[in-house]
Amino acid sequence: MGLRVSRSRTCAYAAPGYAPVRPGYRKWLCGSEITLSGVISLVVAEITCRGRSATQESAQGRGSSVHPRSLPLKVRFLAGESTGSYMTRLATRNGLTASRLLDSLGEGQSAPDVDPRYTELYVNRAARGRLAALIGRPVGELTRALPSTSDEHLLPDNADGGPVWKWPWVPHGGYLVRGCALCATVREVDEPVWLICPDRWHICVRHGRFSDNSRDDKVPFIDLAPGPHVVEAERRRVELVRRLGPAGRVLVADAFGVLAHEAVRAPRLGTDRTTPLRLLPTVVKVASAMISAERRRVEGRLTRVHQREWLRQAKSEFRSDIGMALQAWSEKHTLPRTPVQPRPRGTHLPLALPHEEIGGMQSVDEITCVPWGVLAMTERPYG
């Protein structure tokens, strides 16, 4: 081609429509490592503003009209990935450090030596829009793939409404769990991927792998080929949540709570890494049994007679100790003050006291209404 690209990092330009910045201040927008005619160069776009007064900057507001150009090299989404993990991969793909790429999102704060396996990156609405522009994807697609970019987890806007990000040491909610390496390979990703999950574990139904937040590189996952019933239980759990919505997550959490009752004598979550695998098949059965009683309850149709009959059937289906725990659970689920209208099957089950609202990153021990402890009292659950 005969085309050569300068190695200079001072290819600054000020394009129309960019928001003003401090005089003489440079803002890196994007960059990538490309090869043209055998010359590898780091091409970085930045904006430089010279001669603008502080009054002009204050009047127009930083970041209000910035439209960063899309990065030349993209990385594919992995569902449920943490924003920190995705940004780290995106920076590596474009030959940048994570801190350099973060400069293009706006002003931010970062703990020293942050690692996507330990903490999560958060953005406000303006910075989310910039990230969508950098990767050339709609905001809706971004929020579906990266849970921490959803409205629920956005940082508050600052005084001037500019883009802001924060990468603290402690995630605001949820747990960072190792993603399935086989799923990553299918998406042409050859580096570790970290998911942000409401609980400390994740089961890949497609490849039959269990992973958690143990950070154990010697045993990064557990192969579930010897336990296909666990994979099937996870498939049923996912379907239950898809069908019932947030109420499905509530019932699963309460089912974990039921099994944590002292009468049941089952291991509590956090006893060891495999505890979720041992509990999950029974949890899904218990949650499925709860559906009929909970539907009648939120619709105001659960009479004492219905409740006694449901408990009798539950005790016959499960062991007597689980039946005792279910009775204690049902006492927490009284009739709501304002029943909802019956809904056709296939629609989400509404939430009602004692579960009026749940967060997307709340774990089962935070969601369940049972009055007894659900987690084992260990210093570091899951290794």
Side-chain angles (χ1 to χ4, degrees):
M1 292 176 56
L3 175 64
R4 298 177 65 87
V5 180
S6 171
R7 294 177 181 269
S8 173
R9 291 171 46 187
T10 58
C11 50
Y13 64 91
Y18 278 91
V21 293
R22 294 186 297 275
Y25 176 76
R26 285 178 174 172
K27 187 72 172 177
W28 296 97
L29 285 182
C30 61
S32 66
E33 189 175 39
I34 62 174
T35 304
L36 293 175
S37 298
V39 178
I40 300 178
S41 301
L42 181 64
V43 180
V44 180
E46 58 173 312
I47 61 173
T48 303
C49 181
R50 304 184 188 278
R52 289 186 182 269
S53 67
T55 303
Q56 289 175 304
E57 179 181 5
S58 176
Q60 296 185 32
R62 286 198 305 273
S64 59
S65 60
V66 171
H67 302 285
R69 293 195 292 184
S70 175
L71 288 167
L73 301 178
K74 309 297 191 298
V75 293
R76 301 177 71 177
F77 286 131
L78 274 82
E81 186 175 6
S82 74
T83 310
S85 174
Y86 179 80
M87 284 291 289
T88 301
R89 293 196 297 112
L90 185 64
T92 301
R93 175 68 170 153
N94 284 275
L96 300 171
T97 63
S99 60
R100 176 64 58 80
L101 183 56
L102 285 170
D103 282 343
S104 66
L105 293 186
E107 297 181 0
Q109 298 176 356
S110 174
D113 301 323
V114 288
D115 188 323
R117 72 168 62 196
Y118 296 113
T119 186
E120 175 62 311
L121 169 68
Y122 299 94
V123 297
N124 70 349
R125 192 174 301 275
R128 182 178 67 180
R130 284 199 180 185
L131 176 56
L134 283 172
I135 63 176
R137 291 287 185 272
V139 170
E141 187 177 336
L142 180 72
T143 57
R144 286 192 296 271
L146 308 179
S148 293
T149 63
S150 65
D151 288 353
E152 177 185 353
H153 304 290
L154 289 178
L155 297 175
D157 290 334
N158 56 12
D160 63 8
V164 176
W165 57 267
K166 185 179 293 185
W167 202 334
W169 262 121
V170 181
H172 293 172
Y175 299 89
L176 290 156
V177 175
R178 191 186 300 267
C180 174
L182 295 180
C183 286
T185 299
V186 170
R187 305 291 287 178
E188 300 177 350
V189 177
D190 58 2
E191 58 221 293
V193 171
W194 296 90
L195 312 178
I196 184 74
C197 302
D199 294 295
R200 296 176 173 92
W201 69 88
H202 172 74
I203 296 176
C204 174
V205 173
R206 181 177 183 181
H207 297 110
R209 288 186 169 188
F210 168 90
S211 57
D212 56 18
N213 72 329
S214 68
R215 323 293 202 287
D216 186 353
D217 291 328
K218 294 182 179 179
V219 187
F221 67 92
I222 296 176
D223 185 2
L224 299 181
H229 63 292
V230 177
V231 179
E232 178 58 28
E234 175 65 6
R235 185 179 289 109
R236 290 179 57 199
R237 185 200 67 81
V238 171
E239 173 58 23
L240 186 150
V241 173
R242 186 199 65 79
R243 181 160 47 95
L244 300 182
R249 291 184 59 207
V250 165
L251 295 182
V252 170
D254 280 349
F256 272 109
V258 164
L259 296 189
H261 192 281
E262 60 181 1
V264 179
R265 296 182 180 179
R268 293 187 175 185
L269 290 172
T271 302
D272 58 48
R273 294 182 70 180
T274 62
T275 301
L277 302 178
R278 286 183 280 167
L279 295 178
L280 189 61
T282 304
V283 162
V284 174
K285 291 179 182 179
V286 171
S288 299
M290 291 173 168
I291 295 176
S292 60
E294 186 66 3
R295 188 180 297 278
R296 282 180 174 272
R297 183 183 78 89
V298 299
E299 294 174 357
R301 300 184 294 111
L302 184 66
T303 65
R304 290 289 184 184
V305 174
H306 286 136
Q307 189 176 40
R308 285 196 297 268
E309 177 60 21
W310 177 81
L311 283 171
R312 186 191 65 78
Q313 293 178 355
K315 289 179 180 179
S316 65
E317 180 178 355
F318 302 103
R319 304 190 310 263
S320 60
D321 53 355
I322 294 180
M324 184 186 304
L326 281 170
Q327 183 168 352
W329 168 81
S330 67
E331 292 172 359
K332 299 287 292 183
H333 284 232
T334 58
L335 289 176
R337 294 181 179 178
T338 307
V340 301
Q341 291 296 321
R343 302 205 178 179
R345 292 190 177 275
T347 58
H348 287 178
L349 185 64
L351 292 173
L353 281 174
H355 307 281
E356 287 189 294
E357 185 178 354
I358 63 170
M361 285 297 149
Q362 281 189 280
S363 57
V364 296
D365 57 292
E366 295 172 327
I367 294 174
T368 184
C369 65
V370 299
W372 52 85
V374 176
L375 297 181
M377 294 295 100
T378 58
E379 183 175 351
R380 174 156 177 80
Y382 309 99

